[in-house]
Amino acid sequence: MTVVKQKIAIVGAGIMGRLLAWQLMHQGHDIAIFDKDPIEFGDAAAYTAAGMLTPYSEIESAEMLIYHMGMRSLDLWPNIVERLSSDVGFYQLGSLVVSHQADKPDLERFNQQLQFKLGNLRFDDDSLIPQEVDSSQLLDLEPEIAGQFNQATYLPNEAWLNTSCVMRVLAEQLLSSGVTWHANTLIEQLGPHFVQAKNQRHSFDWVVDCRGLGAKIDWPELRGVRGELFVLQAPEVKINRLVRLMHPRYRIYIVPRKRDDVYIIGATQIESNDTGSITVRSALELLSAAYSVHPGFAEARILESRTNCRPALANNLPKIETSSGLIRVNGLYRHGFLLAPSLCEEVINYLHDGATSEFMSLMSKTG
């Protein structure tokens, strides 16, 4: 397919904005990025994400649209990583869902939801089907946590990546390719074919609004959902796979960075718009939960704590709104890195030939 070069503005430089700009740049388009933050850091939810690519794990509490789009992204990420030609900490070693005895009903409910929602789906490779494993199988998969649990659910196809590395590498490649980047730039107004910033109006063939919560003035139904995490250095811990622990209030995750004994410990969601520092209660719960999975976390060093709010719509599903000269992408919720490749694919197909997929049709009906 011949691609006609177009002048495209990407407003917002989180994972959605950067990945979309990077892909469009490689297709020969003239790209300009507008963002209120510096290039190296900022308030984007991507900077406080754990980078989990876990469509199976989301099934319990998310619509099947998230699963199907997440699976598509899971297919796309290895090729993206290969084209980036840089170490971005991508690992596809699967994940484990575990629970202590007191929370065993939560694990059983998770397994029931998994079986119910995946029941009618076909798998090309049986080795990728979620498995309930016993203590001996868990010993083979993750020997250092096998003594704490007598069963688990193994999700072989799930993956994760280092979000900081991805954001940095995308920025470096965009800048080295000559993309115009308007950093530290507050948007005064945007609309079909134009972006106005610093009292200057810029004209484009297309404007793509990827501002997340920054777009609330134009998309008032957006809300923030708080996420909290710790970055720990734990030399006494050797966990190789992503681990989710059933918890009375919310799911705790442990993501191994696989370098320098660093682990990300966090919670998937808290219904709050608060972007303040992590609370004592949350810190105690997160760190105690990590210690209950592996006692080696007792001697871990706390490198940093992070909090942020992710952009969500009423039904926690993403949405793409299109009109002549303007596309709005938002509502990625806690699934930014999981959904970004699939959403980029949808936007690019629409930009090139106005094509809409079943995903687009489903998203057009969301809140």
Side-chain angles (χ1 to χ4, degrees):
M1 179 180 66
T2 301
V3 175
V4 177
K5 182 176 181 178
Q6 299 188 81
K7 188 177 180 182
I8 302 173
I10 306 296
V11 185
I15 182 56
M16 183 69 207
R18 291 189 190 204
L19 187 60
L20 181 59
W22 179 79
Q23 295 193 349
L24 289 170
M25 175 265 294
H26 276 292
Q27 293 175 348
H29 296 291
D30 183 3
I31 304 299
I33 298 174
F34 293 81
D35 194 62
K36 65 181 179 63
D37 293 326
I39 296 173
E40 300 82 7
F41 60 90
D43 294 330
Y47 287 112
T48 49
M52 297 182 293
L53 311 177
T54 54
Y56 295 96
S57 298
E58 300 300 334
I59 282 180
E60 180 200 19
S61 58
E63 299 286 343
M64 287 302 289
L65 176 64
I66 300 298
Y67 169 78
H68 289 299
M69 294 188 72
M71 291 299 291
R72 177 58 184 157
S73 290
L74 204 55
D75 288 339
L76 294 171
W77 265 116
N79 179 256
I80 293 170
V81 171
E82 183 179 359
R83 289 167 56 207
L84 286 171
S85 300
S86 184
D87 181 7
V88 294
F90 175 79
Y91 298 97
Q92 194 163 14
L93 302 175
S95 64
L96 287 164
V97 183
V98 298
S99 73
H100 295 295
Q101 191 61 32
D103 301 319
K104 187 177 178 180
D106 290 331
L107 181 59
E108 292 174 347
R109 185 163 49 250
F110 173 85
N111 290 333
Q112 289 168 357
Q113 286 292 311
L114 205 62
Q115 292 168 8
F116 174 74
K117 292 185 177 181
L118 294 179
N120 296 324
L121 301 180
R122 293 183 178 180
F123 292 86
D124 295 331
D125 185 345
D126 288 347
S127 68
L128 302 181
I129 298 175
Q131 309 164 28
E132 294 182 38
V133 299
D134 58 25
S135 56
S136 63
Q137 294 168 308
L138 184 57
L139 184 63
D140 291 334
L141 291 168
E142 286 293 344
E144 291 205 359
I145 68 169
Q148 311 297 319
F149 308 97
N150 57 21
Q151 66 183 91
T153 300
Y154 178 41
L155 309 170
N157 202 31
E158 295 196 324
W160 66 94
L161 42 72
N162 187 320
T163 58
S164 298
C165 289
V166 173
M167 294 288 280
R168 175 181 53 79
V169 171
L170 285 171
E172 290 172 352
Q173 294 194 12
L174 285 163
L175 292 170
S176 66
S177 298
V179 166
T180 302
W181 197 311
H182 301 270
N184 301 300
T185 301
L186 289 173
I187 302 302
E188 296 162 2
Q189 189 180 4
L190 63 77
H193 306 292
F194 81 91
V195 175
Q196 183 169 317
K198 296 183 178 179
N199 297 317
Q200 184 177 358
R201 191 180 178 98
H202 305 263
S203 297
F204 299 93
D205 296 310
W206 284 96
V207 175
V208 186
D209 184 356
C210 303
R211 289 177 293 169
L213 285 174
K216 190 172 177 61
I217 188 171
D218 297 315
W219 210 329
E221 59 266 41
L222 281 167
R223 78 184 197 282
V225 179
R226 180 178 170 93
E228 304 174 332
L229 61 79
F230 281 100
V231 183
L232 306 181
Q233 187 172 44
E236 296 184 20
V237 178
K238 298 295 181 237
I239 295 176
N240 294 303
R241 290 172 178 81
L242 193 159
V243 177
R244 289 179 184 258
L245 175 67
M246 297 288 107
H247 185 276
R249 281 213 307 139
Y250 42 66
R251 304 292 180 258
I252 304 297
Y253 57 76
I254 300 173
V255 182
R257 282 293 184 233
K258 307 279 288 181
R259 62 182 73 177
D260 300 326
D261 302 311
V262 171
Y263 296 84
I264 307 298
I265 313 294
T268 54
Q269 68 181 67
I270 300 171
E271 284 293 337
S272 170
N273 285 301
D274 180 15
T275 58
S277 300
I278 196 165
T279 64
V280 170
R281 177 178 178 177
S282 289
L284 288 171
E285 288 185 341
L286 288 174
L287 297 176
S288 297
Y291 173 73
S292 76
V293 172
H294 193 303
F297 281 117
E299 301 303 323
R301 302 288 182 180
I302 299 175
L303 301 182
E304 58 180 305
S305 65
R306 303 176 191 167
T307 60
N308 210 333
C309 285
R310 288 75 60 91
L313 293 166
N315 56 7
N316 297 332
L317 295 177
K319 193 168 185 179
I320 299 175
E321 288 190 344
T322 61
S323 59
S324 178
L326 175 65
I327 299 175
R328 299 184 189 273
V329 187
N330 219 313
L332 276 68
Y333 189 35
R334 63 171 190 257
H335 309 122
F337 281 84
L338 174 62
L339 297 185
S342 179
L343 289 167
C344 284
E345 189 174 59
E346 298 296 324
V347 171
I348 290 169
N349 288 339
Y350 185 83
L351 283 171
H352 288 167
D353 54 22
T356 59
S357 70
E358 183 181 359
F359 289 159
M360 283 275 279
S361 298
L362 289 170
M363 282 186 283
S364 68
K365 300 173 184 177
T366 65

